[in-house]
């Protein structure tokens, strides 16, 4: 951020309006979350108010794009922004297709190298959850007051520590990470990673040690904090595992759309709308490539 850019932001009503709207929306959503409006027994992932906000914003954005056009100064060609967006990653179908194609590419590279696929579910400590799901939605007595963004920062911090340890051990890994909400909006991660067979034990040991460094004495931490699953060809591939979470968190397309979500009890096709709203409200990146070449080069 340059001094000139900073000055322009501070004197821009539009910049302040956008920042204040974001701050207000997140503050309201956190209040709804603390009061119990965001949980499996009420409205999983996001409150009804937040879902309405996101839906109205999408309608306004779609209307604006339909009324706005891009003009090429050299040729005079005119294209509606809605048409441009339809052919970009703003289109959920194209976004899902590219993610799956890149994941399939990783799988083919792993097969050629002889690397093993390991699927990881990494969660925050229980203290990051305001509500207990399995006890009728009662308040969590261990809750430490963190927001979903702070919980995501905790996950990022521990992944950075694990990444540094893996680098020191010269352990190569590559794959994808999907972030999705628990019923009370607290994020957790699903990772599909490929690792050399002789590095697999060290890889698991490092991630387990890092994830259990904090809140290690919590009940159930050893069982629930981080879980590993090896790829089983008889049950499906790592790409198939990732496809489930891509569909759940983009548009609920495909056969998975009719399945019932474990977190919310809703059909996945309906659940996807709430997951997307959760991501936008809290500013949490849903999917990230780990390792491998940059997307631009790809």
């Amino acid at each position: 951020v340059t001094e000139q850019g900073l000055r322009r932001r501070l004197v821009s009503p539009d910049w302040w309006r956008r920042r204040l709207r974001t701050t207000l929306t997140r503050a309201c959503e956190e209040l709804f979350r603390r009061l119990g409006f965001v949980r499996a027994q009420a409205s999983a992932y996001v409150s009804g108010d937040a879902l309405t906000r996101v839906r109205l914003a999408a309608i306004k954005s779609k209307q604006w794009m339909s009324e706005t056009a891009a003009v090429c100064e050299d040729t005079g060609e005119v294209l509606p922004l809605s048409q441009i967006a339809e052919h970009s990653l703003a289109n959920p179908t194209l976004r899902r297709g590219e993610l799956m194609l890149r994941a399939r590419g990783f799988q083919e590279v792993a097969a050629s190298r002889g690397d093993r696929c390991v699927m990881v579910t990494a969660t925050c400590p229980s203290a990051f959850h305001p509500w207990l799901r399995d006890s009728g939605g009662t308040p969590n007595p261990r809750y430490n007051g963190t927001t979903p963004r702070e919980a995501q920062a905790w996950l990022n911090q521990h992944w950075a520590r694990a990444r540094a340890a893996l680098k020191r051990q010269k352990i190569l890994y590559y794959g994808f990470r999907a972030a999705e909400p628990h019923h009370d909006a607290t994020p957790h991660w699903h990772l599909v990673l490929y690792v050399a067979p002789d590095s697999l034990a060290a890889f698991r040991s490092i991630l387990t040690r890092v994830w259990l460094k904090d809140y290690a004495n919590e009940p159930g931490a050893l069982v629930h904090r981080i879980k590993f699953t090896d790829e089983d060809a008889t049950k499906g591939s790592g790409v198939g595992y990732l496809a489930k979470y891509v569909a759940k968190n983009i548009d609920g397309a495909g056969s998975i759309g009719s399945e019932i979500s474990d977190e919310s009890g809703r059909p996945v096709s309906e659940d996807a709308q709430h997951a997307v709203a959760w991501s936008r409200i809290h500013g949490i990146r849903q999917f990230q490539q780990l390792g491998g070449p940059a997307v631009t080069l790809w």
Side-chain angles (χ1 to χ4, degrees):
V1 177
T2 63
E3 289 187 5
Q4 183 181 18
L6 183 59
R7 283 196 297 270
R8 287 180 176 177
R9 287 174 174 84
L10 294 178
V11 300
S12 168
D14 288 338
W15 184 86
W16 279 104
R17 188 177 296 109
R18 287 194 300 270
R19 298 309 306 159
L20 288 170
R21 183 181 294 118
T22 298
T23 301
L24 172 65
T25 301
R26 288 176 182 168
C28 288
E29 185 65 3
E30 183 58 19
L31 180 60
F32 283 131
R33 183 170 174 255
R34 303 261 180 126
L35 291 174
F37 291 98
V38 182
R39 54 190 173 119
Q41 293 74 19
S43 176
Y45 309 161
V46 291
S47 66
D49 177 79
L51 190 61
T52 300
R53 286 172 184 261
V54 171
R55 285 173 173 170
L56 290 176
I59 292 171
K60 289 171 65 176
S61 176
K62 189 174 182 179
Q63 181 180 355
W64 178 79
M65 286 193 294
S66 67
E67 298 171 351
T68 309
V71 181
C72 177
E73 294 181 349
D74 296 331
T75 65
E77 183 181 9
V78 179
L79 285 175
L81 285 187
S82 56
Q83 183 178 337
I84 296 174
E86 189 68 20
H87 292 82
S88 73
L89 294 184
N91 183 333
T93 302
L94 297 182
R95 185 182 178 211
R96 186 180 67 253
E98 179 176 314
L99 280 168
M100 294 312 302
L101 184 60
R102 286 159 58 190
R104 177 60 183 268
F106 273 151
Q107 186 181 51
E108 293 178 358
V109 169
S112 67
R113 287 172 45 89
D115 291 337
R116 294 274 300 279
C117 175
V118 59
M119 293 160 278
V120 187
T121 300
T123 65
C124 291
S126 172
F128 285 62
H129 293 268
W131 299 92
L132 302 173
R133 187 186 65 176
D134 298 331
S135 59
T138 56
N140 181 5
R142 290 189 295 271
Y143 179 50
N144 61 10
T146 50
T147 66
R149 285 177 62 82
E150 290 169 339
Q152 178 73 357
W154 187 92
L155 291 168
N156 281 325
Q157 179 190 54
H158 285 68
W159 173 250
R161 292 174 179 172
R163 190 174 65 233
L166 292 169
K167 186 176 181 180
R168 287 193 297 270
Q169 297 289 333
K170 297 183 179 180
I171 296 176
L172 174 70
Y173 63 89
Y174 51 97
F176 275 91
R177 183 224 74 192
E180 67 171 9
H182 281 294
H183 74 107
D184 59 1
T186 304
H188 65 285
W189 289 4
H190 296 282
L191 302 101
V192 176
L193 298 173
Y194 297 93
V195 182
D198 57 354
S199 300
L200 201 54
F203 174 83
R204 292 187 179 202
S205 175
I206 288 172
L207 261 64
T208 301
R209 184 176 69 250
V210 169
W211 245 258
L212 290 173
K213 186 175 182 180
D214 298 338
Y215 299 91
N217 295 324
E218 273 191 347
L222 293 174
V223 178
H224 302 295
R225 185 74 55 81
I226 189 164
K227 299 179 181 179
F228 299 90
T229 305
D230 290 325
E231 186 178 53
D232 185 345
T234 62
K235 298 180 180 179
S237 65
V239 173
Y241 176 84
L242 181 65
K244 173 183 176 181
Y245 297 104
V246 169
K248 281 178 65 178
N249 292 280
I250 292 185
D251 56 6
S255 59
I256 194 177
S258 59
E259 295 183 12
I260 302 299
S261 169
D262 295 335
E263 288 287 341
S264 67
R266 293 184 296 251
V268 169
S269 57
E270 179 185 344
D271 222 36
Q273 302 177 30
H274 294 73
V276 171
W278 168 83
S279 171
R280 292 177 180 174
I281 289 290
H282 297 293
I284 293 175
R285 184 177 179 179
Q286 289 178 289
F287 303 100
Q288 184 177 4
Q289 177 178 310
L290 304 174
V295 179
T296 304
L297 292 175
W298 173 85

